[in-house]
Amino acid sequence: MTRISLRSRPRLSPYAHLAVFFFLFFTTQTTGQYVQIYLYGIGLSKTRIGLITGTAGLVALVFQPLLGGLADASSSKKRLLALVIAAAAAAFPVMYFGTSAGWIFLFYTLYHIFFSFAMTLNTSVSVEYCQQEGRPFGPLRMLGALSYSLMMLVIGSVTGKTVDTIFLIFPAACLLSLCFLAGIPDVQGGNSRNSGLARIPPTALLKDRTVMVLIAFQTLIGVATGISNGFFSIYFTDDMHGSAQLYSVCIAVAAMAEVPFLFLTDRWLDGMGYRRLLMLLCGLTALRNLLCFLASSVGMLMLARCMSCFSVMEGVTYSLILVRIVRPQLKTSAQTLSATVQNVANLMVSSYLGGFLADLVGIRPLFGVSAVLTAAICLIFTLVVFPRTIREESVR
């Protein structure tokens, strides 16, 4: 009998390892959307839910830039990524063992700090590696969308009995992704001692007009859409009387719709230019919010939700633009600063203001407001602000 040596078996390339890790890691994103449904189910009001999630975002604002600077100064961003994924996995299920607002707030905040940074750091490592090796980032993000959609179907089947299962699914998904983390390519921080580059303090980003204008645009678009989208799950299950299982199908189908578009993101950015691409994507996002406002049935709402693929493409486009215009020493710091400002502003508006307005006038009118604000911000920046601050050549 011929014996096959394990050493003779072909190994996955670093890019293939990264692709598999992306597929596994994005399954962890699915459970966070059910936190609001869980909190609503144990008796918390929409306003209190908003206070918990919004304040957690505010606390995260303090930590994210610090963690971003730590990543750029680290000799191994992969090792840091493993630590924050493990920390998020440990904090999330502890929420289940207490029903007081203080207990839930404490562990939701810890989860939010570490998991938000894990998402940003994963994007930073992946985009930097793809830029160095001349490989496209879009297909990796496409695999993330595919795994997200498949996992939503799985969660929908198990949360039909109880939403509490999310507290088992999330740490299990994190553990599975950690098992494959070792094989992905590592990226050294540009600000580390062994990088060979002059060290630059992360605060230098605040003086970079190009970066700050892009972050301002991303933040305002996020705020405009977050007023309504922060409560989409409650709008779907409570106002439109859709089931938790149908909600999972809705999110899964919407994520599946991202797949062909994400594959083309790199090519579209190079071919169309960043201004025209962002105008197109933000315009379609405004249309999606308008359709959510006009939806008269769960079916129409599901159709509108499928257009969320364009919002995801916006995020991928922002990441690609940032990695192209920011100096090597501050690539993760820039991604972290951008994601933090946007997410915290989005959480505070959608949670504090959105929660208050949802209790006051309902969720449906907020989608109309989001549509108008998104369209206005898109036109002002792409037609007036960007031509004066960010040259097309610097993004190519």
Side-chain angles (χ1 to χ4, degrees):
M1 180 183 296
T2 303
R3 303 181 69 179
I4 301 176
S5 172
L6 291 177
R7 294 183 179 180
S8 66
R9 294 181 180 179
R11 295 183 178 181
L12 293 176
S13 67
Y15 187 75
H17 263 287
L18 192 57
V20 176
F21 173 74
F22 241 84
F23 185 87
L24 296 174
F25 181 63
F26 266 72
T27 61
T28 62
Q29 284 197 58
T30 53
T31 50
Q33 299 194 48
Y34 284 86
V35 172
Q36 289 183 331
I37 297 177
Y38 169 76
L39 296 180
Y40 193 64
I42 63 175
L44 296 184
S45 68
K46 296 172 187 174
T47 301
R48 179 160 287 190
I49 293 172
L51 287 172
I52 290 174
T53 56
T55 305
L58 182 62
V59 174
L61 176 63
V62 177
F63 290 92
Q64 298 305 299
L66 298 176
L67 291 170
L70 178 63
D72 278 325
S74 172
S75 59
S76 173
K77 292 185 180 181
K78 182 173 69 174
R79 189 182 303 122
L80 182 59
L81 179 59
L83 290 174
V84 292
I85 291 175
F92 187 78
V94 181
M95 278 192 287
Y96 178 74
F97 297 101
T99 56
S100 69
W103 177 276
I104 293 171
F105 166 71
L106 173 61
F107 288 99
Y108 179 78
T109 300
L110 290 174
Y111 152 77
H112 190 270
I113 289 172
F114 293 118
F115 189 64
S116 295
F117 180 65
M119 292 300 302
T120 304
L121 183 56
N122 176 50
T123 299
S124 176
V125 169
S126 304
V127 174
E128 287 181 55
Y129 172 76
C130 289
Q131 185 190 35
Q132 292 172 7
E133 300 297 321
R135 307 298 295 268
F137 173 69
L140 297 179
R141 188 59 181 81
M142 177 196 69
L143 285 173
L146 180 61
S147 69
Y148 179 87
S149 63
L150 294 175
M151 192 62 175
M152 283 303 299
L153 293 175
V154 173
I155 289 183
S157 65
V158 298
T159 54
K161 298 179 180 179
T162 172
V163 180
D164 299 0
T165 51
I166 62 173
F167 296 107
L168 292 175
I169 294 173
F170 178 78
C174 286
L175 180 61
L176 184 60
S177 64
L178 283 173
C179 290
F180 214 85
L181 181 63
I184 75 170
D186 204 354
V187 174
Q188 183 180 17
N191 246 353
S192 63
R193 293 181 179 178
N194 300 325
S195 67
L197 300 173
R199 304 188 75 177
I200 303 174
T203 52
L205 288 170
L206 301 177
K207 302 176 183 179
D208 191 324
R209 187 184 178 193
T210 302
V211 172
M212 296 311 297
V213 165
L214 187 63
I215 290 177
F217 174 69
Q218 184 183 16
T219 301
L220 290 174
I221 290 292
V223 166
T225 57
I227 292 175
S228 54
N229 288 338
F231 288 89
F232 181 84
S233 59
I234 296 176
Y235 181 57
F236 187 96
T237 57
D238 190 49
D239 294 25
M240 301 296 285
H241 308 293
S243 65
Q245 298 97 313
L246 192 57
Y247 173 73
S248 295
V249 172
C250 172
I251 301 302
V253 172
M256 193 71 72
E258 300 169 10
V259 171
F261 295 101
L262 288 171
F263 192 82
L264 298 170
T265 304
D266 300 80
R267 188 179 304 174
W268 284 9
L269 178 59
D270 292 330
M272 297 175 61
Y274 83 94
R275 282 202 301 128
R276 281 186 291 178
L277 181 56
L278 288 178
M279 180 185 292
L280 173 64
L281 296 177
C282 292
L284 291 170
T285 298
L287 178 60
R288 180 202 67 188
N289 290 327
L290 179 61
L291 292 176
C292 287
F293 169 71
L294 297 174
S296 57
S297 66
V298 172
M300 287 184 64
L301 193 60
M302 291 179 69
L303 181 62
R305 183 67 182 186
C306 285
M307 295 181 67
S308 63
C309 61
F310 301 114
S311 294
V312 176
M313 281 189 70
E314 287 175 34
V316 174
T317 303
Y318 293 138
S319 297
L320 292 172
I321 294 173
L322 274 177
V323 99
R324 294 181 184 188
I325 65 176
V326 174
R327 286 171 286 185
Q329 296 94 320
L330 301 175
K331 289 187 181 294
T332 300
S333 294
Q335 296 281 355
T336 304
L337 177 63
S338 176
T340 301
V341 173
Q342 183 207 5
N343 290 337
V344 171
N346 186 11
L347 276 170
M348 291 185 66
V349 171
S350 64
S351 299
Y352 291 145
L353 181 59
F356 173 75
L357 292 177
D359 279 329
L360 184 65
V361 300
I363 299 175
R364 179 186 291 272
L366 301 184
F367 281 103
V369 174
S370 290
V372 174
L373 289 176
T374 301
I377 294 167
C378 171
L379 292 175
I380 291 172
F381 271 81
T382 56
L383 296 179
V384 180
V385 179
F386 283 154
R388 301 178 179 180
T389 53
I390 306 177
R391 294 178 291 110
E392 287 282 0
E393 313 85 70
S394 64
V395 181
R396 295 185 184 277

